[in-house]
Amino acid sequence: MMEDTDPDLSPSPSDQNSSSPSLSVCSSPSLSLPSTPSSSSCPAPGPAPSGTPPLGVISEGPGELSLVIDAEVAQRACQEVLQKVRMNQTEVEVDVGGSQNGAGPEPALSVTIVKPAQIQIREVEDDPGSVKSARRRQRHNPSKQSWLLRLFESKLFDVSMAISYLHNSKEPGVQAYIGNRLFSFPHDDVDFYLPQLLNMYIHMDEDVGDAIKPYVVHRCRQSISFSLQCAWLLGAYSSDMHISTQRHSRGTKLRKLILSDELKPAGARARRDPLALTPFCPAVSGSGEHGLSPSKRTHQRSKSDATVSISLSSNLKRTASNPKVESSQDEPVRLAPQREFIKSLMGIGKRLATLPTKEQKTQRLISELSLLNHKLPARVWLPTAAFDHHVVRVPHTQAVVLNSKDKAPYLIYVEVLECENFETSSVPIRIPENRIRSTRSVENLPDCGMTAEQRAGSFSTVPNYDNDDEAWSVDDIGELQVELPELHTNSCDNISQFSVDSITSLESKEPVFIAAGDIRRRLSEQLAQTPTTFKRDPEDPSAVALKEPWEEKVRRIREGSPYGHLPNWRLLSVIVKCGDDLRQELLAFQVLQQLQSIWEQERVPLWIKPYKILVLSADSGMIEPVVNAVSLHQVKKHSQLSLLDYFLQEHGSPTTEAFLSAQRNFVQSCAGYSLICYLLQVKDRHNGNILLDAEGHIIHIDFGFILSSSPKNLGFETSAFKLTTEFVDVMGGPDGDMFNYYKMLMLQGLIAARKHMDRVLQIVEIMQQGSQLPCFHGSSTMRGLKERFHMSLTEEQLQLLVDQLVDGSMRSLTTKLYDGFQYLTNGIM
Amino acid sequence: MSQVEKRAGLLRRTSSSKKPLKEKVVLMYDEIFAKEDPAKNNPRFWDELFLMKVNLEYLESKLESVDGEEVQRIQDNINSLFHHCVQALGEEHQIKVVNALQTLCALFRGVHQKNKSASGFDIINMLMGFDKAEQRMKDLMERLDSLLCGDGSESLKSLCLKLLLCLVTVTDNISQNTILEYVMINSIFEAILQILSDVSSRGQHGYDAVVLLALLVNYRKYESVNPYIVKLSIVDDEPTLDGMGMVVHQALTEYNRQYKDKEEENQGGFFSTLTSMVGSMFIADADEKLSVQTNEAILLALYEAVHLNRNFITVLAQSHPEIDIATTPTPPTRPHPQHHLAPLMNNPELPLDPNLQTSNLLITFLKYASIVMQDTKDEHRLNSARLCLIILTCIAEDQYADAFLHDDNMNFRVNLHRMPMRHRKKAVDKNIPSRPLVCAVLDLMVEFIVTHMMKDFPMDLYLRCVQIIHKLLCYQKKCRIRLHYTWRELWSALINLLKFLLSNETTLLAKHNIFHLALLVVNLFNMFITYGDTFLPTSNSYDELYYEIVRMHQVFDNLYCMVLRVSTNTGQWKEAASKVTHALVNVRAIINHFNPKIESYAAVNHISQLSEEQVLEVVRSNYDTLTLKLQDGLDQFERYSEQPKEAAFFKELVRSISLNVRKNVSLNTLSQDVLLKEFSTIS
């Protein structure tokens, strides 16, 4: 436990004493009351000077609204804690100081709040003893608990630590405090640990569950997407329980509650918490009036709370003042459209799996998606996207079935319109498929001399045009204007003009002559100019689709879409997996992201690309595809070149800038993934699972075999990671500078990762709880993982280790063997 | 009169042999055909009449047998009958509605039968009376409209459509059917659309609705403003257009399936071959004709939709799994099986059958065309083939259609039917690769070119065929689409066509302007020669083009000699032929440039027969010394327009469709016993 505490996190060395969980018995009551105004005896890391009422000191965010919603939830949580406190009311005092500290680092409160807060707390605390005495006592006893408390209240206390304490602490008080504290973290930060939170909720004891639930419920009320996310994860992580217990488990119940859609904003809350009701709507809406909120506790928590409340309160205000606002009207079907959307995508996957050939699958996929299009636009979105949007169309002809032996994962592109808030913004109107033609013809008329404004005007009329003249207008191929590829550097530019348009003027009797050689030359030049594409192969339809540069694809699809003219049009893509368990993928994603941020923090230029994972259930989900990347298998199969030659073909000769930067990218990504493969013991590293992007980065995908599991347990792939001679060739051979750079990067990366080992371990450890995932098979998973960070080695020893690993991997016969094995069984080169 | 008696007698014997007396309804008809107002003695006469089961035959023959003077006498009564029929359509009693609909059918038909030569105005006068005609027809159309759109019985709707079909087809030439003027004014277009947009009603009445629409669109198409044309051209409701496409798709699929079944039957071993040979002497011919005829109406509907409605083009590419009608065979006149595609919101699941191939209307149409084009000797098939090519012309001119034809992501296997020929084996279906749809179109064109070089030369079809190819090439050039197609097949087909024209010059010239076709073909080559850099898939393909031209240089040489000869003589073909001589300039330049080079290469290397690779090598190394002339307007083409060129064809086509539809409708309306039973139990 002590070692686990990262040195960075503790504000002072003495903190090590305080971190033992046993201390928290007494600290628990204090923690539950963070809003008490008394000054702390201990110098808080924050600016709050002791002895003065600290709350008013920093009102950084006066604009931040008091956390209305939290109030109710948090209050209840606090009350629960308080009750426990009453039971073992031995040492009440500490709390006051602790809470005070809380104000320090995150000073979102203004003085106004203080008074009501105080009053309320007194009321509650009447039994345990007077606040004053508590304060006094605390001043004299800077007990161990206060250190823990100080840690909790300190700036450095982040979500990662909160999760860690939540997991490790056996103390209900601490757990409850952290449960409360969750409200104060930015949503995004907590969202990263959502799988951990929910897994703890499902599999750990009741106290942890009780600590987490208020937060989850609160967030569910706020957001549809959070609700669904929770429901999906709860389902997925409950699935490993025995069926009989599963039915009655907390996770299942919470899932049902969420899916029943009872967790709506506004109305429900008002009913439950009449106390908090009055200040909510009117007061909250005005910025800076947070003082009116009755429950000061929440206010004290943090300003990030306040940011939450902003968006929420604005919603509240909306619904309160205007009952006709969609969100309130929609409530019965809040979650339904999205669930339906996901369901139909999964249904397609299931049906595709029954078809025998790739080609049939592809055709079926296209026709199924074209049907799906009829239902769009709708209030549905892709959960893997980073911005709010509505899905308006699935360009069905672009969808491809991915290579898989018996499942039918597929990749779809999705046209979306970005919007402010997908819950409240209105759903776009449907534009029929063929409308594109009119817009296109307008765009393409070269000499109509339209200004941008005019054009925009004409666009806006598109959705409801039924002007006869326009409908009759002819846009045939004769008028079609095509953007020519930029050939201006071409030597035979003048003549190529001729070739584009024939000469129609009959007056000029002089015949125009062209050289046959020029035509032939232009043909081969233009063929060479077009970016290399793979030849279409019905058995591998995804290769061509993935090879096309993303920007080009976006442009092409945008051109062909009836929604393409809208300024907020965006293209997204997603891989739909049906019949695959993505929980391990999610775990790997989390670890990758954690490592990425560690390396970023430590300024190690390792490059990895965590791709987003959405777990929908224990056997389905979605993956955010890596754009502009094809698998090494596809590269080799379609180009018939060695990797180095392919690099030369794509990026130019070895001395060019383009090649060098591609090579650097390759090395940095190789180093990153080598480390990851080693640390996580990623197996099944055949070339189909390693992508190469347009900039030369490699990207490992498919983390189906990590930690304790490997495919078929054949014992192949004993090397630490995959490093073929081809890879080394691209790096410039085993004696080159780049290869040394590679090893150096690995060393730096490993040192950095070691420094923050706990942040990685914690992610994995929590997920092990109650899990039947193959990556947790055996008892030594965690120990093994920990050992691979080699805490005990000196840096010199580490360097030696890296050298050994690299050498071993390079020489590894098993890598070669495994590739051969894959070629034989799956046809993967 | 005696004839009528006989019919009544016959009827008596079969249907009501117990009663020696005439049916009551027959007696009532007789009353109508008497001078007196039938309601004079019996105020409830009309009420009662529509409760009787209609005797169509008797009524019709009675109308037919009325001669000139009698008409004047009984006109009031007939007007009255018509009037009461229309009124009865509004009755709640469905039996009455059914009977009124059938009576109207009989009225329209009987009156026209009698007065084939009479002007439309006389007929209107006889049926409704001039002064009241407008009001009567307005009422009738409104009643039909509300019946079609209402929630009433499906059989009733079906009968309404039959009545309309009957009305539309009473004359051989639809444009002479003056009553339709009222159908133009009182549009039932919206009702037809509603039927097509709703899944269940489409399943049952879609076929009739589509045929009706196709016919109505052709009423005085070229002479006046037909509101149906205007309305059809601006429909943009997707479900409706989809529905229309679905009906066409289903009908064509059904035809393809029947054809395939028969084909398989014929190939099912020696014995069956023998029997079918014998059998086909008697049945096959008639059978085949029938099935083609039934589809002409649908094909016309497809044409009108593609030609008039630009939004319909998207429907062509709307893909869905091929409907397996084999399990539920339905003749087009019976209600169609309910379609599973449309209730999308409720039922996103498609039937799951791994054997189903995904298809779309265009694919089905191409397959259909490939069957129909196989044999163009028969007049109906020739018309069908021509219509198919016209539809393809419209498609090839449409930018959106071209876009999805060339869409690299929409690959399909299209099993075109190929005529079994002596010198080639029938391609195995499974080997067809999955390619963009335009490949199938090109295949179809190539297939047509190579299989129709016969004495009775279908010049018109050839011209259309070559023009379609030209239009596709123009699109590819404009959009720089490099289609991976085996162009060689097209080149050699075109060269063979030229060869055929040359060897049959005299016979063909008697009937056709072969120079026009030759010019188009040569210009296709000019497209490849001058603009090949913009759309050929590989540099090699350009070399192969030269190789093919040089290899077949004799054909071009002969063609040049021939056109030179004709153009130097004075005659009707002088100008046409001289155009071809000009068009040949580049081809001749290529031949004259490379032939000596190849010969000298052979001489230098002492090879008597050069391999293809060697010739290609010579070609590659000698491009730079060859100069070509840029020709005008190679990438220009004349847009398709129906008028005036095609007007005569469509007039004839519509006439033949009318006859056919009339025949089917009459057969059908006469057997409404089932329907009556249904209503007698309901009410």
Side-chain angles (χ1 to χ4, degrees), chain A residues 358 534-544 637-638, chain B residues 411:
Chain A
K358 278 255 169 59
F534 290 152
K535 212 177 155 229
R536 189 162 291 282
D537 175 3
E539 287 309 305
D540 185 7
S542 58
V544 181
K637 187 176 161 199
H638 292 272
Chain B
N411 289 308

Side-chain angles (χ1 to χ4, degrees), chain A residues 744-778:
Chain A
M744 199 261 287
L745 281 177
M746 278 189 62
L747 177 64
Q748 288 180 350
L750 190 53
I751 292 170
R754 189 167 77 156
K755 190 168 158 193
H756 301 276
M757 178 180 77
D758 293 335
R759 277 164 65 185
V760 177
L761 291 183
Q762 153 199 46
I763 293 173
V764 181
E765 193 172 9
I766 296 175
M767 296 320 282
Q768 193 174 12
Q769 208 105 35
S771 169
Q772 302 286 317
L773 290 176
C775 62
F776 296 125
H777 275 181

